[in-house]
Amino acid sequence: MRARRQRSARSDYLTDALTLLQGWTQNGAELRRVLACDDSQHAALTERIKVAADTLRIRPAIRRTDGHTQICLSAGESDDITHGQVTLAARIEDAYKTVVQAS
């Protein structure tokens, strides 16, 4: 007979994975990141984020303020961060590195 996974064990796994992504902060079920980039980098990054977000069916909030791009990934109705949020955060990090290096 298999033991059931506890919800806290899943959250711990995702929290551990999130710690590998420097710069991301967690507030409840939200993940946030502020990235320094110019207008053209912001546009390129936003397009890459939209493609990844559509694949994962997540709707990130992306704002441009004072030369920075602010990203918020919400878990919707969940009280904990989700696998999709952490996956999207990792894809955003990769996209950001690519966009900044290309400039």
Side-chain angles (χ1 to χ4, degrees):
M1 185 175 209
R2 295 176 91 183
R4 286 187 144 172
R5 285 188 178 182
Q6 295 178 351
R7 185 176 189 153
S8 62
R10 181 170 185 238
S11 295
D12 290 343
Y13 164 76
L14 293 175
T15 302
D16 289 345
L18 184 61
T19 59
L20 299 175
L21 299 171
Q22 295 181 355
W24 286 89
T25 59
Q26 179 183 359
N27 184 7
E30 283 186 350
L31 299 180
R32 293 183 177 269
R33 179 80 157 100
V34 177
L35 301 166
C37 55
D38 62 29
D39 289 337
S40 64
Q41 291 170 334
H42 170 80
L45 180 62
T46 300
E47 287 303 313
R48 290 172 185 254
I49 291 172
K50 287 181 181 181
V51 170
D54 285 346
T55 302
L56 295 167
R57 297 183 182 183
I58 296 175
R59 296 289 167 243
I62 304 170
R63 293 185 346 174
R64 179 89 176 132
T65 306
D66 298 326
H68 292 84
T69 298
Q70 300 174 347
I71 304 165
C72 178
L73 307 177
S74 178
E77 297 178 12
S78 177
D79 293 335
D80 296 320
I81 59 172
T82 65
H83 175 76
Q85 285 174 286
V86 175
T87 300
L88 183 55
R91 289 187 181 181
I92 290 170
E93 285 299 311
D94 287 342
Y96 178 65
K97 289 175 187 172
T98 301
V99 165
V100 170
Q101 289 176 356
S103 297

XYZ file of all heavy atoms in Angstrom:
799
model
N 0.837 -1.175 0.000
C 0.000 0.000 0.000
C 0.887 1.245 0.000
O 1.841 1.325 0.754
C -0.885 -0.034 1.240
C -1.892 1.056 1.309
S -2.924 0.746 2.741
C -4.385 1.481 2.173
N 0.564 2.195 -0.852
C 1.360 3.403 -0.962
C 0.890 4.453 0.039
O -0.291 4.623 0.268
C 1.239 3.989 -2.358
C 1.811 3.094 -3.405
C 1.580 3.678 -4.738
N 2.723 4.515 -5.070
C 2.812 5.226 -6.160
N 1.827 5.244 -7.013
N 3.878 5.936 -6.405
N 1.853 5.133 0.590
C 1.526 6.234 1.496
C 1.166 7.465 0.676
O 1.727 7.694 -0.392
C 2.714 6.543 2.404
N 0.237 8.225 1.169
C -0.150 9.458 0.488
C 0.876 10.542 0.741
O 1.414 10.653 1.835
C -1.497 9.953 0.989
C -2.630 9.158 0.504
C -3.875 9.855 0.925
N -4.866 9.687 -0.112
C -6.106 10.049 0.004
N -6.526 10.621 1.102
N -6.956 9.850 -0.976
N 1.105 11.335 -0.271
C 1.989 12.490 -0.096
C 1.250 13.553 0.691
O 0.081 13.815 0.449
C 2.375 13.083 -1.441
C 3.370 12.302 -2.178
C 3.797 13.096 -3.375
N 4.808 12.380 -4.108
C 5.397 12.849 -5.173
N 5.066 14.030 -5.625
N 6.312 12.151 -5.782
N 1.978 14.146 1.563
C 1.389 15.237 2.318
C 1.561 16.525 1.546
O 2.552 16.726 0.863
C 2.052 15.363 3.687
C 1.808 14.161 4.564
C 2.529 14.313 5.883
O 3.324 15.228 6.074
N 2.246 13.423 6.803
N 0.594 17.405 1.686
C 0.636 18.679 0.975
C 1.869 19.493 1.364
O 2.487 20.141 0.546
C -0.632 19.467 1.257
C -0.705 20.723 0.464
C -2.002 21.420 0.700
N -2.104 22.492 -0.250
C -3.210 22.985 -0.702
N -4.338 22.492 -0.303
N -3.211 23.970 -1.557
N 2.250 19.454 2.624
C 3.401 20.235 3.062
C 4.693 19.745 2.413
O 5.587 20.526 2.154
C 3.535 20.210 4.584
O 3.736 18.887 5.026
N 4.778 18.455 2.135
C 5.972 17.927 1.481
C 6.099 18.507 0.077
O 7.190 18.844 -0.366
C 5.920 16.405 1.421
N 4.980 18.656 -0.607
C 4.999 19.240 -1.945
C 5.416 20.704 -1.869
O 6.206 21.173 -2.660
C 3.631 19.114 -2.597
C 3.606 19.684 -3.997
C 2.322 19.324 -4.710
N 2.406 19.794 -6.072
C 1.554 20.626 -6.614
N 0.543 21.084 -5.918
N 1.691 21.010 -7.862
N 4.872 21.413 -0.920
C 5.221 22.823 -0.758
C 6.699 22.979 -0.437
O 7.342 23.911 -0.924
C 4.375 23.455 0.351
O 3.027 23.455 -0.017
N 7.237 22.092 0.396
C 8.659 22.152 0.728
C 9.514 21.928 -0.507
O 10.516 22.604 -0.702
C 9.016 21.123 1.798
C 8.447 21.469 3.160
O 8.060 22.641 3.358
O 8.380 20.579 4.006
N 9.118 20.995 -1.342
C 9.850 20.717 -2.580
C 9.861 21.954 -3.473
O 10.894 22.341 -3.998
C 9.207 19.529 -3.298
C 9.622 19.402 -4.740
C 10.879 18.902 -5.075
C 8.769 19.784 -5.766
C 11.273 18.792 -6.392
C 9.164 19.677 -7.083
C 10.405 19.178 -7.394
O 10.798 19.073 -8.696
N 8.719 22.594 -3.626
C 8.632 23.776 -4.476
C 9.373 24.957 -3.862
O 10.019 25.726 -4.569
C 7.170 24.141 -4.742
C 6.410 23.122 -5.591
C 4.941 23.508 -5.688
C 7.025 22.987 -6.967
N 9.305 25.090 -2.559
C 10.041 26.161 -1.882
C 11.537 25.953 -2.063
O 12.276 26.901 -2.314
C 9.673 26.214 -0.393
O 8.247 26.424 -0.281
C 10.401 27.336 0.318
N 11.986 24.711 -1.948
C 13.402 24.405 -2.176
C 13.808 24.737 -3.607
O 14.886 25.290 -3.846
C 13.696 22.933 -1.878
C 13.633 22.604 -0.406
O 13.637 23.541 0.419
O 13.559 21.412 -0.078
N 12.945 24.394 -4.560
C 13.240 24.700 -5.962
C 13.290 26.213 -6.176
O 14.141 26.712 -6.909
C 12.189 24.072 -6.870
N 12.413 26.924 -5.510
C 12.371 28.379 -5.645
C 13.635 29.035 -5.096
O 14.096 30.041 -5.636
C 11.136 28.938 -4.944
C 10.900 30.437 -5.064
C 10.729 30.842 -6.522
C 9.690 30.835 -4.247
N 14.224 28.457 -4.073
C 15.442 29.046 -3.500
C 16.604 29.021 -4.508
O 17.536 29.809 -4.377
C 15.883 28.344 -2.208
O 16.122 26.967 -2.475
C 14.842 28.503 -1.116
N 16.538 28.148 -5.481
C 17.569 28.097 -6.515
C 17.435 29.252 -7.504
O 18.366 29.550 -8.237
C 17.507 26.766 -7.265
C 17.749 25.518 -6.414
C 17.535 24.265 -7.251
C 19.137 25.540 -5.810
N 16.272 29.891 -7.510
C 16.032 31.017 -8.412
C 16.240 32.306 -7.635
O 15.344 32.799 -6.971
C 14.603 30.955 -8.965
C 14.266 29.720 -9.788
C 12.781 29.682 -10.091
C 15.079 29.717 -11.065
N 17.420 32.849 -7.727
C 17.752 34.050 -6.968
C 16.954 35.245 -7.467
O 16.727 35.394 -8.664
C 19.237 34.337 -7.056
C 20.069 33.272 -6.394
C 21.553 33.594 -6.462
O 21.963 34.554 -7.075
N 22.348 32.771 -5.810
N 16.541 36.081 -6.540
C 15.822 37.296 -6.881
C 14.316 37.178 -6.795
O 13.622 38.177 -6.761
N 13.798 35.974 -6.762
C 12.355 35.774 -6.642
C 11.965 35.790 -5.169
O 12.641 35.195 -4.342
C 11.924 34.455 -7.273
C 11.952 34.508 -8.760
C 13.015 34.211 -9.555
C 10.905 34.911 -9.631
N 12.679 34.402 -10.874
C 11.384 34.829 -10.951
C 9.584 35.323 -9.421
C 10.604 35.150 -12.052
C 8.807 35.643 -10.524
C 9.314 35.557 -11.820
N 10.888 36.486 -4.866
C 10.383 36.513 -3.495
C 8.998 35.896 -3.466
O 8.236 36.003 -4.434
C 10.319 37.955 -2.940
O 9.482 38.741 -3.775
C 11.706 38.567 -2.843
N 8.706 35.269 -2.359
C 7.409 34.626 -2.186
C 6.633 35.360 -1.111
O 7.150 35.644 -0.038
C 7.585 33.162 -1.788
C 6.275 32.446 -1.571
C 6.463 31.011 -1.111
O 7.584 30.536 -0.961
N 5.368 30.335 -0.866
N 5.394 35.681 -1.423
C 4.484 36.278 -0.453
C 3.207 35.463 -0.506
O 2.366 35.673 -1.379
C 4.218 37.752 -0.789
C 3.346 38.419 0.259
O 3.045 37.839 1.287
N 2.945 39.638 -0.024
N 3.086 34.503 0.396
C 1.936 33.602 0.355
C 2.003 32.748 -0.895
O 2.950 32.017 -1.106
N 0.975 32.887 -1.747
C 0.919 32.108 -2.981
C 1.349 32.929 -4.200
O 1.063 32.556 -5.327
C -0.495 31.575 -3.179
N 2.044 34.042 -3.970
C 2.541 34.874 -5.065
C 4.056 34.822 -5.139
O 4.731 34.798 -4.119
C 2.148 36.334 -4.872
C 0.738 36.655 -5.192
C 0.476 38.147 -5.119
O 1.336 38.910 -4.638
O -0.612 38.533 -5.545
N 4.555 34.823 -6.366
C 5.990 34.945 -6.610
C 6.209 36.263 -7.322
O 5.474 36.612 -8.248
C 6.497 33.798 -7.486
C 6.340 32.394 -6.930
C 6.884 31.374 -7.923
C 7.026 32.262 -5.598
N 7.230 37.005 -6.893
C 7.515 38.323 -7.474
C 8.984 38.451 -7.841
O 9.845 37.884 -7.181
C 7.160 39.430 -6.489
C 5.695 39.529 -6.220
C 5.398 40.703 -5.293
N 3.997 40.849 -5.095
C 3.198 41.616 -5.835
N 3.710 42.314 -6.819
N 1.912 41.686 -5.584
N 9.219 39.258 -8.903
C 10.596 39.514 -9.339
C 10.630 40.875 -10.003
O 9.718 41.245 -10.748
C 11.023 38.438 -10.339
C 12.428 38.584 -10.902
C 13.464 38.063 -9.942
N 14.697 37.696 -10.602
C 15.780 38.459 -10.623
N 15.788 39.624 -10.044
N 16.867 38.034 -11.235
N 11.670 41.638 -9.741
C 11.899 42.923 -10.389
C 13.204 42.803 -11.172
O 14.229 42.408 -10.618
C 11.982 44.076 -9.360
C 12.294 45.388 -10.046
C 10.692 44.170 -8.553
N 13.146 43.143 -12.458
C 14.291 43.006 -13.347
C 14.626 44.357 -13.977
O 13.737 45.062 -14.457
C 13.980 42.000 -14.458
C 13.613 40.593 -13.995
C 13.000 39.800 -15.135
C 14.832 39.893 -13.457
N 15.900 44.698 -13.990
C 16.346 45.928 -14.643
C 16.509 45.661 -16.130
O 17.237 44.742 -16.519
C 17.657 46.398 -14.044
N 15.817 46.449 -16.956
C 15.960 46.317 -18.397
C 15.422 47.563 -19.088
O 14.597 48.282 -18.527
C 15.284 45.056 -18.923
S 13.562 44.857 -18.520
N 15.912 47.802 -20.299
C 15.426 48.960 -21.049
C 14.123 48.591 -21.767
O 13.636 47.462 -21.658
C 16.499 49.474 -22.011
C 16.905 48.463 -23.074
O 16.077 47.605 -23.465
O 18.057 48.518 -23.522
N 13.567 49.561 -22.501
C 12.269 49.349 -23.144
C 12.271 48.216 -24.167
O 11.336 47.420 -24.218
C 11.781 50.645 -23.808
C 11.370 51.693 -22.790
O 11.042 51.324 -21.645
O 11.382 52.888 -23.137
N 13.316 48.130 -24.969
C 13.358 47.062 -25.975
C 13.538 45.689 -25.318
O 12.946 44.697 -25.762
C 14.463 47.310 -27.001
O 15.737 47.284 -26.399
N 14.343 45.618 -24.263
C 14.500 44.361 -23.527
C 13.184 43.965 -22.859
O 12.820 42.794 -22.837
C 15.606 44.496 -22.482
C 16.989 44.618 -23.064
C 18.030 44.991 -22.024
O 17.718 45.612 -21.008
N 19.273 44.631 -22.286
N 12.486 44.956 -22.326
C 11.182 44.697 -21.695
C 10.209 44.091 -22.707
O 9.536 43.102 -22.415
C 10.595 45.984 -21.106
C 9.180 45.841 -20.657
N 8.842 45.262 -19.441
C 8.010 46.187 -21.250
C 7.519 45.264 -19.316
N 6.999 45.821 -20.395
N 10.164 44.672 -23.899
C 9.258 44.171 -24.932
C 9.609 42.737 -25.327
O 8.729 41.872 -25.431
C 9.303 45.084 -26.151
N 10.885 42.469 -25.525
C 11.325 41.121 -25.909
C 11.048 40.122 -24.787
O 10.578 39.008 -25.032
C 12.808 41.128 -26.251
N 11.326 40.539 -23.554
C 11.091 39.657 -22.410
C 9.611 39.365 -22.240
O 9.216 38.216 -22.001
C 11.659 40.296 -21.139
C 11.492 39.502 -19.852
C 12.214 38.158 -19.946
C 12.022 40.303 -18.668
N 8.779 40.380 -22.387
C 7.332 40.203 -22.237
C 6.800 39.199 -23.256
O 5.970 38.343 -22.915
C 6.607 41.552 -22.377
O 7.088 42.436 -21.355
C 5.113 41.401 -22.234
N 7.266 39.273 -24.489
C 6.829 38.319 -25.515
C 7.231 36.889 -25.156
O 6.445 35.956 -25.298
C 7.390 38.696 -26.887
C 6.719 39.893 -27.494
C 5.216 39.721 -27.642
O 4.771 38.662 -28.129
O 4.480 40.655 -27.261
N 8.446 36.722 -24.672
C 8.908 35.385 -24.273
C 8.110 34.860 -23.079
O 7.791 33.678 -23.001
C 10.398 35.414 -23.960
C 11.254 35.599 -25.187
C 12.716 35.812 -24.797
N 13.523 36.101 -25.956
C 14.363 35.233 -26.510
N 14.514 34.038 -25.998
N 15.064 35.580 -27.572
N 7.813 35.747 -22.142
C 7.029 35.345 -20.969
C 5.634 34.901 -21.396
O 5.120 33.885 -20.906
C 6.951 36.484 -19.933
C 8.318 36.722 -19.299
C 5.911 36.172 -18.862
C 8.382 37.957 -18.408
N 5.016 35.642 -22.312
C 3.664 35.295 -22.760
C 3.613 33.914 -23.384
O 2.674 33.162 -23.149
C 3.148 36.342 -23.738
C 2.776 37.642 -23.069
C 2.249 38.644 -24.072
C 1.896 39.942 -23.381
N 1.359 40.939 -24.315
N 4.632 33.568 -24.175
C 4.661 32.243 -24.806
C 4.746 31.151 -23.736
O 3.983 30.181 -23.753
C 5.835 32.129 -25.806
C 6.022 30.693 -26.271
C 5.619 33.064 -26.976
N 5.665 31.317 -22.789
C 5.814 30.316 -21.722
C 4.571 30.271 -20.829
O 4.122 29.192 -20.432
C 7.052 30.624 -20.884
N 4.008 31.426 -20.532
C 2.826 31.485 -19.663
C 1.624 30.811 -20.321
O 0.857 30.113 -19.654
C 2.499 32.932 -19.319
N 1.461 31.014 -21.624
C 0.362 30.355 -22.334
C 0.506 28.844 -22.273
O -0.472 28.125 -22.093
C 0.309 30.815 -23.794
C -0.262 32.208 -23.946
O -0.856 32.734 -22.976
O -0.110 32.788 -25.042
N 1.723 28.360 -22.424
C 1.977 26.926 -22.360
C 1.587 26.363 -20.993
O 1.008 25.286 -20.897
C 3.461 26.631 -22.639
O 3.793 27.148 -23.921
C 3.754 25.141 -22.583
N 1.909 27.112 -19.939
C 1.641 26.650 -18.571
C 0.268 27.088 -18.050
O -0.096 26.754 -16.928
C 2.734 27.177 -17.633
C 4.118 26.622 -17.909
C 5.180 27.426 -17.154
C 4.186 25.147 -17.523
N -0.446 27.859 -18.852
C -1.776 28.360 -18.486
C -1.754 29.187 -17.208
O -2.546 29.006 -16.292
C -2.777 27.220 -18.387
C -2.961 26.526 -19.700
C -3.967 25.460 -19.649
N -4.021 24.833 -20.962
C -4.854 23.892 -21.285
N -5.718 23.462 -20.414
N -4.836 23.380 -22.491
N -0.796 30.091 -17.179
C -0.645 31.027 -16.056
C -0.718 32.439 -16.625
O -0.175 32.706 -17.696
C 0.704 30.816 -15.333
C 0.742 29.421 -14.700
C 0.942 31.888 -14.286
C 2.074 29.076 -14.073
N -1.369 33.328 -15.926
C -1.488 34.716 -16.364
C -0.661 35.608 -15.450
O -1.122 36.051 -14.406
C -2.948 35.170 -16.347
C -3.828 34.416 -17.304
C -3.506 34.797 -18.739
N -4.129 33.865 -19.669
C -3.455 33.096 -20.493
N -2.149 33.115 -20.511
N -4.076 32.295 -21.313
N 0.584 35.879 -15.820
C 1.416 36.743 -14.977
C 1.008 38.207 -15.113
O 0.504 38.631 -16.159
C 2.814 36.525 -15.533
C 2.594 36.162 -16.960
C 1.299 35.412 -17.001
N 1.224 38.948 -14.049
C 1.042 40.396 -14.099
C 2.420 40.996 -14.363
O 3.355 40.768 -13.595
C 0.474 40.895 -12.777
N 2.543 41.748 -15.460
C 3.827 42.336 -15.854
C 3.631 43.843 -15.976
O 2.730 44.295 -16.686
C 4.321 41.758 -17.196
C 4.409 40.240 -17.120
C 5.660 42.367 -17.583
C 4.646 39.573 -18.454
N 4.474 44.598 -15.265
C 4.403 46.063 -15.306
C 5.776 46.640 -15.576
O 6.788 46.071 -15.175
C 3.913 46.629 -13.970
C 2.511 46.293 -13.637
C 2.014 46.960 -12.392
N 3.065 47.548 -11.568
C 2.839 48.272 -10.499
N 1.629 48.515 -10.106
N 3.836 48.767 -9.797
N 5.775 47.794 -16.206
C 7.016 48.531 -16.481
C 6.999 49.785 -15.626
O 6.101 50.612 -15.725
C 7.049 48.896 -17.965
C 8.256 49.683 -18.359
C 9.363 48.744 -18.756
N 10.498 49.539 -19.236
C 11.720 49.338 -18.834
N 11.988 48.372 -17.992
N 12.698 50.077 -19.269
N 7.981 49.933 -14.736
C 8.037 51.069 -13.833
C 9.478 51.499 -13.610
O 10.314 50.690 -13.210
C 7.419 50.705 -12.455
O 6.107 50.183 -12.665
C 7.331 51.894 -11.541
N 9.761 52.764 -13.853
C 11.068 53.358 -13.552
C 12.256 52.542 -14.058
O 13.204 52.285 -13.327
C 11.220 53.586 -12.047
C 10.188 54.549 -11.496
O 9.813 55.482 -12.227
O 9.762 54.362 -10.341
N 12.193 52.095 -15.304
C 13.303 51.352 -15.881
C 13.401 49.906 -15.418
O 14.417 49.252 -15.643
N 12.362 49.412 -14.779
C 12.342 48.038 -14.282
C 11.076 47.323 -14.752
O 10.041 47.957 -14.957
C 12.385 48.010 -12.752
C 13.682 48.480 -12.201
N 13.976 49.804 -12.009
C 14.789 47.793 -11.823
C 15.192 49.930 -11.508
N 15.713 48.710 -11.402
N 11.192 46.035 -14.894
C 10.044 45.197 -15.211
C 9.673 44.431 -13.949
O 10.510 43.735 -13.368
C 10.377 44.211 -16.349
O 10.689 44.974 -17.515
C 9.229 43.277 -16.641
N 8.432 44.592 -13.523
C 7.932 43.907 -12.329
C 7.038 42.756 -12.767
O 6.125 42.951 -13.567
C 7.151 44.867 -11.444
C 7.957 46.038 -10.957
C 7.113 47.045 -10.202
O 5.889 47.011 -10.235
N 7.779 47.958 -9.523
N 7.302 41.583 -12.224
C 6.550 40.388 -12.591
C 5.938 39.784 -11.333
O 6.610 39.634 -10.314
C 7.462 39.344 -13.267
C 8.151 39.958 -14.482
C 6.675 38.090 -13.650
C 9.319 39.162 -14.993
N 4.658 39.435 -11.423
C 3.971 38.778 -10.314
C 3.279 37.530 -10.865
O 2.509 37.607 -11.824
C 2.945 39.708 -9.676
S 2.018 38.932 -8.344
N 3.578 36.397 -10.258
C 2.955 35.128 -10.628
C 2.038 34.715 -9.483
O 2.510 34.402 -8.390
C 4.008 34.052 -10.871
C 5.118 34.393 -11.862
C 6.120 33.247 -11.932
C 4.539 34.697 -13.219
N 0.749 34.710 -9.735
C -0.227 34.369 -8.700
C -0.703 32.938 -8.885
O -0.817 32.453 -10.014
C -1.419 35.323 -8.793
O -2.394 34.986 -7.848
N -0.996 32.282 -7.769
C -1.437 30.888 -7.812
C -2.940 30.755 -7.993
O -3.469 29.658 -7.958
C -1.003 30.163 -6.542
N -3.620 31.856 -8.159
C -5.075 31.791 -8.315
C -5.743 31.437 -7.009
O -5.559 32.122 -6.007
N -6.484 30.357 -6.983
C -7.226 29.958 -5.793
C -6.413 29.131 -4.807
O -6.864 28.852 -3.712
C -8.477 29.188 -6.210
C -9.432 30.030 -7.025
C -10.643 29.250 -7.477
O -10.860 28.127 -6.974
O -11.374 29.763 -8.326
N -5.222 28.737 -5.187
C -4.381 27.919 -4.312
C -3.785 28.759 -3.186
O -3.529 29.942 -3.346
C -3.247 27.291 -5.125
O -2.382 26.562 -4.288
N -3.593 28.137 -2.038
C -2.979 28.809 -0.899
C -1.460 28.673 -0.897
O -0.782 29.320 -0.116
C -3.514 28.226 0.422
C -4.981 28.544 0.628
O -5.463 29.542 0.059
O -5.649 27.797 1.358
N -0.925 27.797 -1.747
C 0.506 27.540 -1.829
C 0.988 27.833 -3.243
O 0.207 27.876 -4.189
C 0.818 26.072 -1.502
C 0.473 25.702 -0.069
O 0.716 26.530 0.825
O -0.041 24.593 0.144
N 2.307 28.012 -3.362
C 2.856 28.153 -4.701
C 2.660 26.840 -5.451
O 2.529 25.779 -4.852
C 4.343 28.564 -4.673
C 5.191 27.547 -3.931
C 4.506 29.957 -4.125
C 6.683 27.803 -4.034
N 2.634 26.930 -6.765
C 2.380 25.747 -7.582
C 3.611 25.385 -8.415
O 4.512 26.200 -8.592
C 1.196 25.993 -8.544
O 1.563 27.014 -9.484
C -0.062 26.392 -7.792
N 3.588 24.174 -8.902
C 4.650 23.700 -9.785
C 4.758 24.611 -11.015
O 5.850 24.960 -11.448
C 4.369 22.258 -10.203
C 5.332 21.722 -11.200
N 6.596 21.323 -10.861
C 5.221 21.542 -12.547
C 7.228 20.911 -11.949
N 6.409 21.032 -12.979
N 3.616 25.000 -11.564
C 3.602 25.860 -12.738
C 4.255 27.209 -12.482
O 4.975 27.729 -13.345
N 4.012 27.786 -11.325
C 4.629 29.071 -10.986
C 6.149 28.959 -10.934
O 6.852 29.825 -11.455
C 4.136 29.569 -9.626
C 2.739 30.121 -9.608
C 2.342 30.436 -8.191
O 2.078 29.526 -7.414
N 2.317 31.707 -7.858
N 6.644 27.939 -10.284
C 8.095 27.765 -10.160
C 8.700 27.480 -11.532
O 9.766 28.011 -11.876
C 8.435 26.656 -9.137
C 9.928 26.386 -9.110
C 7.927 27.038 -7.751
N 8.016 26.691 -12.339
C 8.487 26.406 -13.694
C 8.539 27.682 -14.526
O 9.530 27.943 -15.219
C 7.575 25.365 -14.378
O 7.595 24.161 -13.609
C 8.023 25.080 -15.801
N 7.479 28.494 -14.444
C 7.462 29.747 -15.195
C 8.540 30.702 -14.697
O 9.200 31.368 -15.502
C 6.082 30.405 -15.127
C 5.919 31.695 -15.936
C 6.288 31.485 -17.407
C 4.501 32.221 -15.807
N 8.759 30.762 -13.399
C 9.819 31.619 -12.852
C 11.176 31.207 -13.429
O 11.981 32.064 -13.814
C 9.836 31.543 -11.326
N 11.427 29.916 -13.524
C 12.693 29.441 -14.097
C 12.799 29.807 -15.572
O 13.862 30.232 -16.042
C 12.810 27.926 -13.920
N 11.711 29.688 -16.298
C 11.724 30.056 -17.722
C 11.924 31.556 -17.900
O 12.592 31.989 -18.838
C 10.436 29.603 -18.395
C 10.357 28.106 -18.544
C 9.184 27.689 -19.353
N 9.114 26.242 -19.476
C 8.178 25.614 -20.156
N 7.234 26.292 -20.788
N 8.172 24.303 -20.211
N 11.351 32.349 -17.008
C 11.537 33.795 -17.067
C 13.001 34.145 -16.830
O 13.564 35.002 -17.504
C 10.604 34.513 -16.065
C 9.154 34.397 -16.531
C 11.008 35.976 -15.884
C 8.121 34.856 -15.505
N 13.629 33.480 -15.868
C 15.055 33.721 -15.612
C 15.888 33.423 -16.848
O 16.770 34.194 -17.218
C 15.541 32.873 -14.433
C 15.097 33.372 -13.089
C 15.613 34.771 -12.779
O 16.817 35.032 -12.948
O 14.790 35.602 -12.372
N 15.616 32.304 -17.501
C 16.347 31.949 -18.722
C 16.101 32.974 -19.827
O 17.032 33.380 -20.519
C 15.940 30.563 -19.215
C 16.486 29.442 -18.344
O 17.443 29.700 -17.576
O 15.950 28.320 -18.424
N 14.854 33.396 -19.978
C 14.513 34.381 -21.007
C 15.201 35.712 -20.720
O 15.718 36.360 -21.636
C 12.998 34.564 -21.082
N 15.227 36.111 -19.472
C 15.870 37.377 -19.098
C 17.352 37.347 -19.436
O 17.881 38.291 -20.031
C 15.650 37.645 -17.610
C 16.312 38.892 -17.114
C 15.919 40.154 -17.563
C 17.350 38.840 -16.189
C 16.529 41.308 -17.107
C 17.969 39.987 -15.733
C 17.556 41.224 -16.188
O 18.164 42.355 -15.734
N 18.020 36.254 -19.101
C 19.453 36.138 -19.418
C 19.681 36.211 -20.928
O 20.616 36.862 -21.385
C 20.004 34.818 -18.866
C 20.095 34.799 -17.349
C 20.516 33.443 -16.843
C 20.444 33.396 -15.326
N 20.675 32.037 -14.819
N 18.838 35.562 -21.689
C 18.961 35.570 -23.136
C 18.754 36.967 -23.704
O 19.524 37.430 -24.548
C 17.948 34.591 -23.775
O 18.206 33.276 -23.272
C 18.059 34.589 -25.286
N 17.724 37.656 -23.233
C 17.390 38.993 -23.744
C 18.491 40.003 -23.381
O 18.891 40.808 -24.217
C 16.020 39.454 -23.190
C 15.802 40.942 -23.397
C 14.899 38.648 -23.828
N 18.989 39.932 -22.161
C 20.013 40.882 -21.732
C 21.337 40.630 -22.462
O 22.025 41.578 -22.858
C 20.212 40.815 -20.196
C 21.415 41.604 -19.748
C 18.959 41.339 -19.503
N 21.701 39.377 -22.682
C 22.933 39.048 -23.389
C 22.871 39.446 -24.859
O 23.898 39.772 -25.453
C 23.249 37.563 -23.267
C 23.692 37.162 -21.888
C 23.900 35.658 -21.769
O 23.650 34.899 -22.698
N 24.357 35.217 -20.607
N 21.686 39.434 -25.436
C 21.522 39.771 -26.849
C 21.681 41.270 -27.101
O 21.945 41.688 -28.226
C 20.158 39.315 -27.355
N 21.551 42.068 -26.053
C 21.636 43.529 -26.227
C 23.048 44.039 -26.192
O 23.939 43.557 -25.660
C 20.850 44.207 -25.125
O 19.498 43.873 -25.225
